[in-house]
Amino acid sequence: MITLKTAQEIELLRGSCQIARDTLLYLEDKIQAGMTTKDIDTLAYEFIKAQGAIPSCLGYHGYPASICTSVNHCIVHGIPSSKQILQNGDIISVDLVAYKNGFHGDAARTFAVGQVTSQAQKLIQVTKESFFQAIDGLFIGSPLNNIGAKIQEYVEKNGFQVVREFVGHGIGREMHEDPAVPNFGKAGTGIRLQAGMVLCIEPMIVAGKRDVTILKDGWTAVTTDGSLAAHYENTIVITEQGVEVLSL
């Protein structure tokens, strides 16, 4: 069931989303070669708590960390570890959710560690750009699958592939709410967007084949062929005026 948010609820969501945004901006300045992904998790936990919020991921269905840190061929849900040390040339996606005043705010970014290859830089850029392609022209009454269709078209035009096993979602009092928001699909299909719908749009893009393998920890999703992956996410709300991005 899709829950439309009131103006008051959207304001509370905006506060949580801004904490998620600010945490990612803080981490972007800190991430460097030689750090462990556990170091990044600790920094995120301390920053989120300092804002009077709670990291939603910690303990979610048993997840053992405050954020997801997905390095290189890891697509999503990488678990921070004191044994995983970042190297110059790596790329790392950080996905996090902040909970405050009864609402969750969700966002993700992919960062370059030092000097990365031109392919890695293009992958990061195209993944981010595909999000903005997706929200351009969205309004009340737009078919939901226009979002995924635009992402897929833009990504494939640039020589990359869209992961199918993981999708975006609604958000609010729960971290994952209806509807599912695929990053692929046929334009003109799906439910119609309504004012008050709050969605997480999160392209997950790979440089090689889109086949996914889940590691034995039950969380970490990697590209089966070892190719690079990138992730970019924001929380948006559909308004009478169009789209507002809450986590920018």
Side-chain angles (χ1 to χ4, degrees):
M1 182 179 70
I2 298 172
T3 304
L4 302 180
K5 278 51 176 198
T6 66
Q8 182 181 18
E9 289 173 329
I10 291 168
E11 193 60 33
L12 294 173
L13 272 158
R14 183 179 289 109
S16 298
C17 287
Q18 289 175 353
I19 293 171
R21 173 204 64 192
D22 291 347
T23 306
L24 288 165
L25 288 170
Y26 171 73
L27 294 177
E28 183 176 19
D29 286 339
K30 299 291 185 181
I31 290 174
Q32 60 183 336
M35 294 181 74
T36 69
T37 50
K38 179 62 176 175
D39 293 334
I40 301 168
D41 182 68
T42 299
L43 289 172
Y45 174 83
E46 292 174 347
F47 187 91
I48 292 169
K49 293 289 284 186
Q51 314 311 307
I54 296 170
S56 306
C57 295
L58 185 59
Y60 179 74
H61 293 306
Y63 187 76
S66 297
I67 62 175
C68 298
T69 52
S70 303
V71 179
N72 293 333
H73 72 297
C74 183
I75 303 164
V76 285
H77 305 156
I79 300 173
S81 170
S82 58
K83 296 180 180 179
Q84 187 172 41
I85 302 172
L86 295 181
Q87 307 291 330
N88 183 59
D90 285 342
I91 65 173
I92 177 172
S93 299
V94 178
D95 186 6
L96 59 86
V97 187
Y99 179 77
K100 187 174 182 179
N101 295 325
F103 288 90
H104 300 270
D106 195 353
R109 306 285 186 266
T110 300
F111 303 119
V113 182
Q115 297 296 316
V116 302
T117 66
S118 57
Q119 183 197 48
Q121 191 58 58
K122 181 182 178 183
L123 177 66
I124 293 171
Q125 189 65 25
V126 168
T127 304
K128 177 180 179 179
E129 288 170 352
S130 71
F131 166 84
F132 291 98
Q133 290 285 324
I135 65 171
D136 184 37
L138 280 185
F139 52 86
I140 294 171
S142 293
L144 176 70
N145 290 335
N146 283 9
I147 295 170
K150 284 188 172 184
I151 291 171
Q152 182 180 4
E153 179 183 14
Y154 187 76
V155 166
E156 292 179 356
K157 181 176 69 176
N158 280 279
F160 300 124
Q161 293 291 318
V162 173
V163 170
R164 308 297 176 94
E165 286 79 0
F166 302 98
V167 299
H169 52 91
I171 193 168
R173 294 188 182 276
E174 302 294 332
M175 189 179 358
H176 295 104
E177 298 182 357
D178 291 332
V181 187
N183 298 307
F184 57 92
K186 183 179 179 181
T189 66
I191 62 169
R192 302 288 167 162
L193 301 182
Q194 301 178 60
M197 288 178 67
V198 179
L199 307 172
C200 293
I201 300 174
E202 49 178 320
M204 289 158 272
I205 310 305
V206 297
K209 295 181 179 180
R210 58 180 178 83
D211 303 298
V212 174
T213 297
I214 307 296
L215 299 187
K216 291 181 180 179
D217 60 27
W219 287 100
T220 307
V222 301
T223 56
T224 301
D225 63 3
S227 61
L228 292 176
H231 184 194
Y232 185 87
E233 177 182 14
N234 282 305
T235 302
I236 70 161
V237 58
I238 306 299
T239 73
E240 297 288 346
Q241 292 71 42
V243 172
E244 180 185 352
V245 183
L246 299 176
S247 51
L248 282 179

